Short mmCIF file of all heavy atoms in Angstrom, two decimals:
data_model
loop_
_atom_site.label_atom_id
_atom_site.label_comp_id
_atom_site.label_asym_id
_atom_site.label_seq_id
_atom_site.Cartn_x
_atom_site.Cartn_y
_atom_site.Cartn_z
N ILE H 1 -45.09 149.74 -114.06
CA ILE H 1 -44.97 151.15 -114.43
C ILE H 1 -45.21 152.03 -113.20
O ILE H 1 -44.60 153.07 -113.09
CB ILE H 1 -45.95 151.49 -115.57
CG1 ILE H 1 -45.49 150.78 -116.83
CG2 ILE H 1 -46.03 152.99 -115.79
CD1 ILE H 1 -46.28 151.07 -118.05
N GLU H 2 -46.09 151.57 -112.31
CA GLU H 2 -46.37 152.35 -111.10
C GLU H 2 -45.10 152.66 -110.33
O GLU H 2 -44.88 153.79 -109.90
CB GLU H 2 -47.34 151.58 -110.21
CG GLU H 2 -47.60 152.23 -108.87
CD GLU H 2 -48.44 151.36 -107.97
OE1 GLU H 2 -49.06 150.40 -108.44
OE2 GLU H 2 -48.45 151.65 -106.77
N HIS H 3 -44.23 151.68 -110.17
CA HIS H 3 -43.01 151.86 -109.39
C HIS H 3 -41.95 152.61 -110.19
O HIS H 3 -41.23 153.45 -109.65
CB HIS H 3 -42.45 150.52 -108.94
CG HIS H 3 -43.48 149.61 -108.38
ND1 HIS H 3 -44.29 149.94 -107.31
CD2 HIS H 3 -43.88 148.38 -108.76
CE1 HIS H 3 -45.11 148.95 -107.05
NE2 HIS H 3 -44.89 148.00 -107.92
N LEU H 4 -41.86 152.30 -111.46
CA LEU H 4 -40.81 152.90 -112.30
C LEU H 4 -41.06 154.36 -112.60
O LEU H 4 -40.14 155.09 -112.96
CB LEU H 4 -40.68 152.11 -113.60
CG LEU H 4 -40.33 150.64 -113.43
CD1 LEU H 4 -40.27 149.95 -114.79
CD2 LEU H 4 -39.04 150.47 -112.68
N SER H 5 -42.29 154.82 -112.46
CA SER H 5 -42.60 156.22 -112.76
C SER H 5 -42.21 157.15 -111.62
O SER H 5 -42.27 158.37 -111.78
CB SER H 5 -44.09 156.38 -113.07
OG SER H 5 -44.87 156.05 -111.94
N ARG H 6 -41.83 156.61 -110.49
CA ARG H 6 -41.40 157.44 -109.36
C ARG H 6 -40.11 158.15 -109.71
O ARG H 6 -39.28 157.65 -110.46
CB ARG H 6 -41.19 156.59 -108.10
CG ARG H 6 -42.36 155.75 -107.71
CD ARG H 6 -43.50 156.59 -107.26
NE ARG H 6 -44.66 155.73 -106.97
CZ ARG H 6 -45.65 156.08 -106.21
NH1 ARG H 6 -45.67 157.28 -105.66
NH2 ARG H 6 -46.65 155.26 -106.01
N ARG H 7 -39.92 159.32 -109.14
CA ARG H 7 -38.79 160.16 -109.50
C ARG H 7 -37.46 159.66 -108.93
O ARG H 7 -36.48 159.52 -109.64
CB ARG H 7 -39.06 161.59 -109.06
CG ARG H 7 -38.05 162.57 -109.55
CD ARG H 7 -38.54 163.99 -109.33
NE ARG H 7 -37.63 164.94 -109.92
CZ ARG H 7 -37.76 165.43 -111.14
NH1 ARG H 7 -38.78 165.05 -111.87
NH2 ARG H 7 -36.90 166.29 -111.61
N SER H 8 -37.43 159.39 -107.64
CA SER H 8 -36.16 158.99 -107.02
C SER H 8 -36.10 157.47 -106.83
O SER H 8 -37.14 156.79 -106.78
CB SER H 8 -35.99 159.68 -105.66
OG SER H 8 -36.88 159.13 -104.72
N LEU H 9 -34.92 156.97 -106.70
CA LEU H 9 -34.74 155.54 -106.48
C LEU H 9 -35.36 155.13 -105.15
O LEU H 9 -35.98 154.07 -105.05
CB LEU H 9 -33.26 155.17 -106.54
CG LEU H 9 -32.93 153.69 -106.30
CD1 LEU H 9 -33.71 152.79 -107.26
CD2 LEU H 9 -31.44 153.47 -106.44
N SER H 10 -35.22 155.96 -104.15
CA SER H 10 -35.82 155.67 -102.85
C SER H 10 -37.33 155.53 -102.97
O SER H 10 -37.93 154.61 -102.39
CB SER H 10 -35.47 156.79 -101.87
OG SER H 10 -36.04 156.54 -100.61
N ASP H 11 -37.97 156.40 -103.73
CA ASP H 11 -39.42 156.33 -103.94
C ASP H 11 -39.79 155.06 -104.70
O ASP H 11 -40.81 154.43 -104.41
CB ASP H 11 -39.93 157.55 -104.69
CG ASP H 11 -39.92 158.81 -103.85
OD1 ASP H 11 -39.82 158.70 -102.61
OD2 ASP H 11 -40.01 159.91 -104.43
N LYS H 12 -38.98 154.67 -105.67
CA LYS H 12 -39.23 153.44 -106.43
C LYS H 12 -39.16 152.23 -105.51
O LYS H 12 -40.02 151.35 -105.56
CB LYS H 12 -38.21 153.27 -107.56
CG LYS H 12 -38.36 154.25 -108.69
CD LYS H 12 -37.27 154.07 -109.71
CE LYS H 12 -37.36 155.14 -110.78
NZ LYS H 12 -36.32 154.99 -111.80
N VAL H 13 -38.14 152.19 -104.67
CA VAL H 13 -37.95 151.07 -103.76
C VAL H 13 -39.12 150.99 -102.78
O VAL H 13 -39.72 149.92 -102.58
CB VAL H 13 -36.61 151.19 -102.99
CG1 VAL H 13 -36.52 150.20 -101.85
CG2 VAL H 13 -35.44 151.02 -103.95
N LEU H 14 -39.48 152.12 -102.17
CA LEU H 14 -40.58 152.12 -101.21
C LEU H 14 -41.91 151.78 -101.86
O LEU H 14 -42.73 151.08 -101.26
CB LEU H 14 -40.65 153.48 -100.50
CG LEU H 14 -39.52 153.75 -99.51
CD1 LEU H 14 -39.61 155.17 -98.98
CD2 LEU H 14 -39.55 152.75 -98.36
N SER H 15 -42.12 152.24 -103.07
CA SER H 15 -43.35 151.92 -103.79
C SER H 15 -43.44 150.42 -104.04
O SER H 15 -44.48 149.79 -103.77
CB SER H 15 -43.40 152.67 -105.12
OG SER H 15 -44.50 152.29 -105.89
N TYR H 16 -42.37 149.83 -104.53
CA TYR H 16 -42.36 148.40 -104.81
C TYR H 16 -42.53 147.58 -103.53
O TYR H 16 -43.35 146.66 -103.47
CB TYR H 16 -41.06 147.99 -105.52
CG TYR H 16 -40.96 146.50 -105.66
CD1 TYR H 16 -41.75 145.81 -106.58
CD2 TYR H 16 -40.11 145.75 -104.85
CE1 TYR H 16 -41.69 144.43 -106.69
CE2 TYR H 16 -40.04 144.38 -104.96
CZ TYR H 16 -40.84 143.72 -105.87
OH TYR H 16 -40.78 142.36 -105.97
N LEU H 17 -41.77 147.92 -102.48
CA LEU H 17 -41.85 147.15 -101.25
C LEU H 17 -43.21 147.32 -100.56
O LEU H 17 -43.72 146.37 -99.97
CB LEU H 17 -40.71 147.54 -100.30
CG LEU H 17 -39.30 147.15 -100.78
CD1 LEU H 17 -38.25 147.67 -99.80
CD2 LEU H 17 -39.18 145.65 -100.97
N SER H 18 -43.79 148.48 -100.64
CA SER H 18 -45.13 148.69 -100.08
C SER H 18 -46.16 147.83 -100.80
O SER H 18 -47.05 147.25 -100.16
CB SER H 18 -45.52 150.17 -100.17
OG SER H 18 -44.71 150.95 -99.35
N ALA H 19 -46.05 147.75 -102.10
CA ALA H 19 -46.97 146.91 -102.88
C ALA H 19 -46.80 145.44 -102.51
O ALA H 19 -47.79 144.71 -102.38
CB ALA H 19 -46.75 147.12 -104.37
N GLU H 20 -45.57 145.01 -102.31
CA GLU H 20 -45.31 143.62 -101.93
C GLU H 20 -45.85 143.34 -100.53
O GLU H 20 -46.36 142.26 -100.26
CB GLU H 20 -43.82 143.31 -102.01
CG GLU H 20 -43.31 143.19 -103.43
CD GLU H 20 -43.95 142.05 -104.19
OE1 GLU H 20 -43.94 140.91 -103.68
OE2 GLU H 20 -44.47 142.29 -105.28
N ARG H 21 -45.73 144.32 -99.63
CA ARG H 21 -46.27 144.15 -98.28
C ARG H 21 -47.79 144.02 -98.33
O ARG H 21 -48.37 143.15 -97.67
CB ARG H 21 -45.88 145.32 -97.40
CG ARG H 21 -46.50 145.22 -95.99
CD ARG H 21 -46.08 146.30 -95.07
NE ARG H 21 -46.59 147.58 -95.51
CZ ARG H 21 -46.46 148.70 -94.83
NH1 ARG H 21 -45.83 148.71 -93.67
NH2 ARG H 21 -46.94 149.83 -95.29
N ARG H 22 -48.45 144.86 -99.13
CA ARG H 22 -49.90 144.75 -99.28
C ARG H 22 -50.30 143.40 -99.86
O ARG H 22 -51.26 142.77 -99.42
CB ARG H 22 -50.43 145.87 -100.18
CG ARG H 22 -50.54 147.21 -99.49
CD ARG H 22 -51.32 148.21 -100.32
NE ARG H 22 -50.75 148.42 -101.65
CZ ARG H 22 -49.77 149.27 -101.94
NH1 ARG H 22 -49.23 150.00 -100.98
NH2 ARG H 22 -49.34 149.40 -103.17
N ARG H 23 -49.55 142.94 -100.85
CA ARG H 23 -49.84 141.67 -101.49
C ARG H 23 -49.68 140.51 -100.50
O ARG H 23 -50.48 139.58 -100.46
CB ARG H 23 -48.92 141.46 -102.70
CG ARG H 23 -49.30 140.27 -103.56
CD ARG H 23 -48.36 140.11 -104.75
NE ARG H 23 -46.99 139.81 -104.38
CZ ARG H 23 -46.56 138.63 -103.92
NH1 ARG H 23 -47.39 137.65 -103.76
NH2 ARG H 23 -45.29 138.45 -103.63
N ALA H 24 -48.64 140.58 -99.66
CA ALA H 24 -48.39 139.52 -98.67
C ALA H 24 -49.38 139.59 -97.51
O ALA H 24 -49.66 138.57 -96.88
CB ALA H 24 -46.96 139.63 -98.15
N GLY H 25 -49.88 140.77 -97.22
CA GLY H 25 -50.83 140.93 -96.13
C GLY H 25 -50.22 140.93 -94.75
O GLY H 25 -50.92 140.74 -93.76
N LYS H 26 -48.91 141.13 -94.67
CA LYS H 26 -48.24 141.21 -93.37
C LYS H 26 -46.99 142.06 -93.51
O LYS H 26 -46.52 142.33 -94.61
CB LYS H 26 -47.91 139.83 -92.84
CG LYS H 26 -47.20 138.93 -93.81
CD LYS H 26 -47.11 137.51 -93.27
CE LYS H 26 -46.57 136.59 -94.35
NZ LYS H 26 -46.48 135.22 -93.90
N ASP H 27 -46.46 142.49 -92.36
CA ASP H 27 -45.30 143.39 -92.38
C ASP H 27 -44.01 142.69 -92.79
O ASP H 27 -43.13 143.30 -93.38
CB ASP H 27 -45.11 144.05 -91.02
CG ASP H 27 -46.12 145.15 -90.76
OD1 ASP H 27 -46.65 145.70 -91.74
OD2 ASP H 27 -46.37 145.46 -89.59
N ARG H 28 -43.86 141.41 -92.50
CA ARG H 28 -42.66 140.67 -92.90
C ARG H 28 -43.00 139.89 -94.17
O ARG H 28 -43.95 139.12 -94.19
CB ARG H 28 -42.23 139.72 -91.79
CG ARG H 28 -40.91 139.04 -92.09
CD ARG H 28 -40.45 138.18 -90.93
NE ARG H 28 -40.19 138.96 -89.73
CZ ARG H 28 -39.03 139.57 -89.46
NH1 ARG H 28 -38.03 139.49 -90.31
NH2 ARG H 28 -38.87 140.25 -88.34
N PHE H 29 -42.22 140.08 -95.20
CA PHE H 29 -42.52 139.47 -96.49
C PHE H 29 -41.24 139.23 -97.27
O PHE H 29 -40.20 139.81 -96.99
CB PHE H 29 -43.47 140.36 -97.30
CG PHE H 29 -42.93 141.74 -97.53
CD1 PHE H 29 -42.23 142.06 -98.68
CD2 PHE H 29 -43.10 142.74 -96.57
CE1 PHE H 29 -41.72 143.32 -98.89
CE2 PHE H 29 -42.59 144.01 -96.77
CZ PHE H 29 -41.91 144.31 -97.93
N ARG H 30 -41.33 138.35 -98.24
CA ARG H 30 -40.20 138.04 -99.13
C ARG H 30 -40.53 138.54 -100.53
O ARG H 30 -41.68 138.52 -100.96
CB ARG H 30 -39.95 136.54 -99.20
CG ARG H 30 -39.39 135.97 -97.96
CD ARG H 30 -39.14 134.47 -98.12
NE ARG H 30 -38.67 133.91 -96.87
CZ ARG H 30 -37.39 133.69 -96.60
NH1 ARG H 30 -36.48 133.95 -97.50
NH2 ARG H 30 -37.04 133.19 -95.43
N ILE H 31 -39.49 138.96 -101.24
CA ILE H 31 -39.66 139.36 -102.63
C ILE H 31 -39.01 138.30 -103.52
O ILE H 31 -38.11 137.58 -103.07
CB ILE H 31 -39.07 140.76 -102.90
CG1 ILE H 31 -37.57 140.80 -102.65
CG2 ILE H 31 -39.78 141.81 -102.06
CD1 ILE H 31 -36.90 142.07 -103.12
N PRO H 32 -39.46 138.20 -104.77
CA PRO H 32 -38.93 137.15 -105.65
C PRO H 32 -37.60 137.51 -106.33
O PRO H 32 -37.22 136.86 -107.30
CB PRO H 32 -40.05 137.00 -106.69
CG PRO H 32 -40.65 138.35 -106.77
CD PRO H 32 -40.58 138.89 -105.36
N PHE H 33 -36.92 138.54 -105.85
CA PHE H 33 -35.68 139.00 -106.47
C PHE H 33 -34.52 138.96 -105.49
O PHE H 33 -34.72 139.19 -104.30
CB PHE H 33 -35.80 140.46 -106.94
CG PHE H 33 -36.85 140.71 -107.97
CD1 PHE H 33 -37.97 141.47 -107.67
CD2 PHE H 33 -36.73 140.21 -109.25
CE1 PHE H 33 -38.94 141.74 -108.63
CE2 PHE H 33 -37.68 140.46 -110.22
CZ PHE H 33 -38.79 141.23 -109.90
N ASP H 34 -33.32 138.76 -106.00
CA ASP H 34 -32.13 139.06 -105.22
C ASP H 34 -31.79 140.53 -105.51
O ASP H 34 -32.53 141.20 -106.22
CB ASP H 34 -30.97 138.11 -105.57
CG ASP H 34 -30.55 138.19 -107.04
OD1 ASP H 34 -31.05 139.05 -107.79
OD2 ASP H 34 -29.70 137.37 -107.43
N ARG H 35 -30.69 141.05 -104.97
CA ARG H 35 -30.36 142.47 -105.18
C ARG H 35 -30.20 142.82 -106.66
O ARG H 35 -30.70 143.83 -107.12
CB ARG H 35 -29.06 142.85 -104.46
CG ARG H 35 -29.16 142.92 -103.00
CD ARG H 35 -29.89 144.17 -102.53
NE ARG H 35 -29.92 144.15 -101.10
CZ ARG H 35 -30.83 143.51 -100.39
NH1 ARG H 35 -31.80 142.87 -100.97
NH2 ARG H 35 -30.79 143.51 -99.08
N GLY H 36 -29.50 141.97 -107.39
CA GLY H 36 -29.30 142.23 -108.81
C GLY H 36 -30.61 142.22 -109.58
O GLY H 36 -30.84 143.06 -110.45
N GLY H 37 -31.47 141.26 -109.26
CA GLY H 37 -32.77 141.18 -109.92
C GLY H 37 -33.66 142.37 -109.61
O GLY H 37 -34.33 142.89 -110.49
N LEU H 38 -33.65 142.81 -108.35
CA LEU H 38 -34.46 143.98 -107.98
C LEU H 38 -33.91 145.24 -108.65
O LEU H 38 -34.67 146.07 -109.14
CB LEU H 38 -34.48 144.16 -106.47
CG LEU H 38 -35.33 145.31 -105.94
CD1 LEU H 38 -36.78 145.21 -106.41
CD2 LEU H 38 -35.26 145.37 -104.42
N ALA H 39 -32.59 145.35 -108.73
CA ALA H 39 -31.98 146.50 -109.41
C ALA H 39 -32.38 146.51 -110.88
O ALA H 39 -32.74 147.56 -111.43
CB ALA H 39 -30.46 146.46 -109.26
N ASP H 40 -32.34 145.36 -111.53
CA ASP H 40 -32.76 145.27 -112.93
C ASP H 40 -34.23 145.65 -113.08
O ASP H 40 -34.60 146.39 -113.99
CB ASP H 40 -32.54 143.86 -113.48
CG ASP H 40 -31.08 143.53 -113.68
OD1 ASP H 40 -30.24 144.46 -113.69
OD2 ASP H 40 -30.77 142.33 -113.82
N TYR H 41 -35.06 145.15 -112.18
CA TYR H 41 -36.50 145.44 -112.24
C TYR H 41 -36.77 146.94 -112.09
O TYR H 41 -37.63 147.49 -112.79
CB TYR H 41 -37.22 144.67 -111.13
CG TYR H 41 -38.71 144.90 -111.10
CD1 TYR H 41 -39.55 144.30 -112.02
CD2 TYR H 41 -39.27 145.73 -110.13
CE1 TYR H 41 -40.92 144.52 -111.99
CE2 TYR H 41 -40.63 145.95 -110.10
CZ TYR H 41 -41.45 145.35 -111.03
OH TYR H 41 -42.79 145.57 -111.00
N LEU H 42 -36.03 147.59 -111.20
CA LEU H 42 -36.24 149.03 -110.96
C LEU H 42 -35.43 149.91 -111.91
O LEU H 42 -35.55 151.13 -111.87
CB LEU H 42 -35.91 149.37 -109.50
CG LEU H 42 -36.80 148.71 -108.45
CD1 LEU H 42 -36.30 149.05 -107.05
CD2 LEU H 42 -38.25 149.14 -108.63
N GLY H 43 -34.59 149.29 -112.73
CA GLY H 43 -33.81 150.06 -113.71
C GLY H 43 -32.71 150.89 -113.10
O GLY H 43 -32.52 152.04 -113.47
N CYS H 44 -31.99 150.30 -112.16
CA CYS H 44 -30.91 151.03 -111.51
C CYS H 44 -29.70 150.13 -111.32
O CYS H 44 -29.75 148.94 -111.61
CB CYS H 44 -31.37 151.58 -110.16
SG CYS H 44 -31.71 150.30 -108.93
N ASP H 45 -28.64 150.71 -110.82
CA ASP H 45 -27.42 149.98 -110.54
C ASP H 45 -27.55 149.26 -109.20
O ASP H 45 -28.15 149.80 -108.26
CB ASP H 45 -26.27 150.99 -110.49
CG ASP H 45 -24.93 150.33 -110.31
OD1 ASP H 45 -24.53 149.59 -111.23
OD2 ASP H 45 -24.30 150.56 -109.26
N ARG H 46 -27.02 148.06 -109.08
CA ARG H 46 -27.13 147.29 -107.85
C ARG H 46 -26.51 148.01 -106.66
O ARG H 46 -27.05 148.00 -105.56
CB ARG H 46 -26.49 145.91 -108.02
CG ARG H 46 -26.76 144.99 -106.83
CD ARG H 46 -25.91 143.75 -106.85
NE ARG H 46 -24.47 144.04 -106.87
CZ ARG H 46 -23.76 144.43 -105.81
NH1 ARG H 46 -24.33 144.60 -104.65
NH2 ARG H 46 -22.48 144.66 -105.93
N SER H 47 -25.38 148.66 -106.88
CA SER H 47 -24.74 149.36 -105.77
C SER H 47 -25.57 150.55 -105.31
O SER H 47 -25.63 150.85 -104.11
CB SER H 47 -23.31 149.79 -106.13
OG SER H 47 -23.33 150.68 -107.22
N ALA H 48 -26.24 151.24 -106.23
CA ALA H 48 -27.12 152.35 -105.85
C ALA H 48 -28.31 151.83 -105.06
O ALA H 48 -28.72 152.45 -104.06
CB ALA H 48 -27.59 153.09 -107.10
N LEU H 49 -28.86 150.70 -105.47
CA LEU H 49 -29.97 150.09 -104.75
C LEU H 49 -29.53 149.71 -103.34
O LEU H 49 -30.24 149.99 -102.36
CB LEU H 49 -30.48 148.86 -105.48
CG LEU H 49 -31.52 148.02 -104.74
CD1 LEU H 49 -32.79 148.81 -104.50
CD2 LEU H 49 -31.80 146.74 -105.51
N SER H 50 -28.38 149.10 -103.21
CA SER H 50 -27.87 148.71 -101.89
C SER H 50 -27.67 149.92 -100.99
O SER H 50 -27.97 149.87 -99.80
CB SER H 50 -26.56 147.93 -102.03
OG SER H 50 -26.81 146.69 -102.65
N ALA H 51 -27.20 151.02 -101.56
CA ALA H 51 -27.01 152.25 -100.78
C ALA H 51 -28.34 152.79 -100.28
O ALA H 51 -28.46 153.21 -99.13
CB ALA H 51 -26.28 153.30 -101.62
N VAL H 52 -29.35 152.77 -101.13
CA VAL H 52 -30.69 153.25 -100.74
C VAL H 52 -31.26 152.35 -99.65
O VAL H 52 -31.82 152.85 -98.65
CB VAL H 52 -31.64 153.32 -101.96
CG1 VAL H 52 -33.08 153.48 -101.53
CG2 VAL H 52 -31.24 154.46 -102.86
N LEU H 53 -31.14 151.04 -99.80
CA LEU H 53 -31.65 150.12 -98.78
C LEU H 53 -30.93 150.34 -97.45
O LEU H 53 -31.57 150.34 -96.39
CB LEU H 53 -31.49 148.67 -99.23
CG LEU H 53 -32.42 148.24 -100.36
CD1 LEU H 53 -32.05 146.84 -100.83
CD2 LEU H 53 -33.88 148.30 -99.93
N PHE H 54 -29.63 150.56 -97.50
CA PHE H 54 -28.87 150.81 -96.29
C PHE H 54 -29.36 152.08 -95.59
O PHE H 54 -29.54 152.11 -94.38
CB PHE H 54 -27.37 150.92 -96.61
CG PHE H 54 -26.53 151.23 -95.40
CD1 PHE H 54 -26.20 150.22 -94.51
CD2 PHE H 54 -26.11 152.51 -95.15
CE1 PHE H 54 -25.43 150.51 -93.37
CE2 PHE H 54 -25.36 152.81 -94.03
CZ PHE H 54 -25.01 151.80 -93.14
N LYS H 55 -29.60 153.14 -96.37
CA LYS H 55 -30.08 154.40 -95.79
C LYS H 55 -31.46 154.24 -95.18
O LYS H 55 -31.73 154.77 -94.09
CB LYS H 55 -30.11 155.50 -96.85
CG LYS H 55 -28.74 155.99 -97.24
CD LYS H 55 -28.80 157.03 -98.33
CE LYS H 55 -27.41 157.41 -98.79
NZ LYS H 55 -27.43 158.35 -99.93
N LEU H 56 -32.35 153.51 -95.85
CA LEU H 56 -33.69 153.28 -95.31
C LEU H 56 -33.63 152.46 -94.02
O LEU H 56 -34.40 152.70 -93.09
CB LEU H 56 -34.58 152.60 -96.34
CG LEU H 56 -34.96 153.45 -97.56
CD1 LEU H 56 -35.65 152.60 -98.62
CD2 LEU H 56 -35.84 154.62 -97.14
N LYS H 57 -32.69 151.53 -93.96
CA LYS H 57 -32.51 150.73 -92.74
C LYS H 57 -31.96 151.60 -91.62
O LYS H 57 -32.42 151.51 -90.48
CB LYS H 57 -31.58 149.56 -93.03
CG LYS H 57 -31.47 148.56 -91.91
CD LYS H 57 -30.64 147.35 -92.34
CE LYS H 57 -30.70 146.24 -91.33
NZ LYS H 57 -29.98 145.04 -91.79
N ALA H 58 -31.00 152.45 -91.94
CA ALA H 58 -30.40 153.34 -90.94
C ALA H 58 -31.41 154.34 -90.39
O ALA H 58 -31.36 154.70 -89.21
CB ALA H 58 -29.20 154.06 -91.54
N LYS H 59 -32.34 154.77 -91.23
CA LYS H 59 -33.39 155.71 -90.80
C LYS H 59 -34.49 155.02 -90.00
O LYS H 59 -35.36 155.68 -89.45
CB LYS H 59 -34.02 156.40 -92.01
CG LYS H 59 -33.14 157.41 -92.69
CD LYS H 59 -33.87 158.04 -93.85
CE LYS H 59 -33.01 159.04 -94.57
NZ LYS H 59 -33.72 159.64 -95.72
N GLY H 60 -34.48 153.70 -89.98
CA GLY H 60 -35.49 152.96 -89.23
C GLY H 60 -36.79 152.77 -89.98
O GLY H 60 -37.82 152.48 -89.39
N VAL H 61 -36.75 152.91 -91.30
CA VAL H 61 -37.95 152.74 -92.12
C VAL H 61 -38.24 151.26 -92.35
O VAL H 61 -39.39 150.83 -92.29
CB VAL H 61 -37.81 153.48 -93.47
CG1 VAL H 61 -39.00 153.22 -94.37
CG2 VAL H 61 -37.61 154.96 -93.24
N LEU H 62 -37.19 150.50 -92.62
CA LEU H 62 -37.37 149.07 -92.86
C LEU H 62 -36.17 148.30 -92.38
O LEU H 62 -35.11 148.86 -92.11
CB LEU H 62 -37.65 148.78 -94.33
CG LEU H 62 -36.65 149.21 -95.41
CD1 LEU H 62 -35.61 148.14 -95.62
CD2 LEU H 62 -37.39 149.45 -96.69
N ASP H 63 -36.37 147.01 -92.26
CA ASP H 63 -35.30 146.09 -91.91
C ASP H 63 -35.31 144.99 -92.96
O ASP H 63 -36.37 144.68 -93.53
CB ASP H 63 -35.54 145.50 -90.52
CG ASP H 63 -34.33 144.76 -89.99
OD1 ASP H 63 -33.20 145.00 -90.47
OD2 ASP H 63 -34.51 143.91 -89.10
N TYR H 64 -34.18 144.41 -93.24
CA TYR H 64 -34.12 143.38 -94.27
C TYR H 64 -32.94 142.44 -94.03
O TYR H 64 -31.98 142.77 -93.35
CB TYR H 64 -34.00 144.00 -95.65
CG TYR H 64 -32.76 144.85 -95.84
CD1 TYR H 64 -31.57 144.29 -96.25
CD2 TYR H 64 -32.81 146.22 -95.62
CE1 TYR H 64 -30.43 145.06 -96.43
CE2 TYR H 64 -31.68 147.00 -95.80
CZ TYR H 64 -30.51 146.43 -96.19
OH TYR H 64 -29.38 147.19 -96.35
N HIS H 65 -33.09 141.28 -94.59
CA HIS H 65 -32.01 140.29 -94.67
C HIS H 65 -32.22 139.54 -95.98
O HIS H 65 -33.24 138.88 -96.16
CB HIS H 65 -32.05 139.33 -93.49
CG HIS H 65 -30.98 138.29 -93.56
ND1 HIS H 65 -29.64 138.58 -93.34
CD2 HIS H 65 -31.03 136.98 -93.85
CE1 HIS H 65 -28.94 137.48 -93.49
NE2 HIS H 65 -29.75 136.49 -93.80
N LYS H 66 -31.26 139.70 -96.88
CA LYS H 66 -31.35 139.12 -98.23
C LYS H 66 -32.65 139.58 -98.90
O LYS H 66 -32.80 140.77 -99.13
CB LYS H 66 -31.20 137.60 -98.19
CG LYS H 66 -29.83 137.18 -97.71
CD LYS H 66 -29.63 135.70 -97.87
CE LYS H 66 -28.24 135.34 -97.40
NZ LYS H 66 -27.92 133.96 -97.66
N ASN H 67 -33.58 138.67 -99.20
CA ASN H 67 -34.80 139.08 -99.90
C ASN H 67 -36.02 139.09 -98.97
O ASN H 67 -37.15 139.10 -99.42
CB ASN H 67 -35.05 138.20 -101.12
CG ASN H 67 -35.41 136.78 -100.76
OD1 ASN H 67 -35.04 136.30 -99.70
ND2 ASN H 67 -36.11 136.11 -101.64
N GLU H 68 -35.79 139.11 -97.66
CA GLU H 68 -36.88 139.22 -96.69
C GLU H 68 -36.86 140.62 -96.09
O GLU H 68 -35.82 141.08 -95.60
CB GLU H 68 -36.72 138.18 -95.58
CG GLU H 68 -37.89 138.18 -94.64
CD GLU H 68 -37.81 137.05 -93.62
OE1 GLU H 68 -37.71 135.89 -94.04
OE2 GLU H 68 -37.85 137.37 -92.43
N PHE H 69 -38.01 141.29 -96.11
CA PHE H 69 -38.12 142.66 -95.66
C PHE H 69 -39.19 142.79 -94.59
O PHE H 69 -40.11 141.98 -94.52
CB PHE H 69 -38.48 143.57 -96.84
CG PHE H 69 -37.39 143.71 -97.85
CD1 PHE H 69 -37.22 142.77 -98.84
CD2 PHE H 69 -36.52 144.79 -97.81
CE1 PHE H 69 -36.20 142.88 -99.77
CE2 PHE H 69 -35.50 144.92 -98.72
CZ PHE H 69 -35.35 143.96 -99.71
N ARG H 70 -39.04 143.85 -93.79
CA ARG H 70 -40.04 144.17 -92.77
C ARG H 70 -40.06 145.67 -92.58
O ARG H 70 -39.03 146.30 -92.37
CB ARG H 70 -39.69 143.49 -91.44
CG ARG H 70 -40.67 143.79 -90.33
CD ARG H 70 -40.30 143.07 -89.04
NE ARG H 70 -39.03 143.49 -88.51
CZ ARG H 70 -38.89 144.49 -87.62
NH1 ARG H 70 -39.92 145.15 -87.18
NH2 ARG H 70 -37.68 144.80 -87.17
N PHE H 71 -41.24 146.27 -92.69
CA PHE H 71 -41.38 147.69 -92.39
C PHE H 71 -41.41 147.85 -90.88
O PHE H 71 -42.10 147.11 -90.18
CB PHE H 71 -42.64 148.27 -93.03
CG PHE H 71 -42.47 148.61 -94.46
CD1 PHE H 71 -42.71 147.68 -95.45
CD2 PHE H 71 -42.02 149.87 -94.85
CE1 PHE H 71 -42.53 147.98 -96.79
CE2 PHE H 71 -41.83 150.17 -96.18
CZ PHE H 71 -42.09 149.24 -97.15
N VAL H 72 -40.67 148.81 -90.37
CA VAL H 72 -40.55 149.03 -88.93
C VAL H 72 -41.61 150.02 -88.47
O VAL H 72 -42.02 150.88 -89.13
CB VAL H 72 -39.14 149.55 -88.57
CG1 VAL H 72 -39.01 149.81 -87.10
CG2 VAL H 72 -38.11 148.56 -89.03
#
């Protein structure tokens, strides 16, 4: 509920990924979802999620490959 209560999709994504980073205890971490699974978990369309991830990568906020992420 913590992640889903965020207003924008970008906020939901960052909230979820930040929690996963804290849980992993390091900046590079893996999530248990593929893109479709993460989109379902966050209650959004997969293409919208991919667009948000692309924008966050372009802004230099995070880097990712498949289900492995790293905050920059």
Side-chain angles (χ1 to χ4, degrees):
I1 292 183
E2 174 186 345
H3 314 303
L4 300 178
S5 64
R6 305 292 176 160
R7 188 168 186 93
S8 71
L9 179 55
S10 180
D11 289 343
K12 290 177 185 180
V13 169
L14 288 174
S15 174
Y16 173 73
L17 293 177
S18 294
E20 287 297 308
R21 177 177 66 174
R22 282 191 303 275
R23 190 180 64 74
K26 50 189 172 181
D27 285 336
R28 186 176 296 275
F29 57 94
R30 289 181 184 262
I31 62 170
F33 298 113
D34 61 6
R35 288 285 180 275
L38 182 56
D40 288 344
Y41 180 76
L42 296 176
C44 67
D45 185 65
R46 188 192 57 77
S47 61
L49 172 63
S50 292
V52 166
L53 289 173
F54 178 80
K55 287 178 185 176
L56 291 171
K57 188 174 189 176
K59 288 181 181 179
V61 176
L62 58 88
D63 191 21
Y64 61 87
H65 179 72
K66 296 189 179 186
N67 68 334
E68 185 174 305
F69 292 83
R70 179 178 64 91
F71 279 89
V72 179

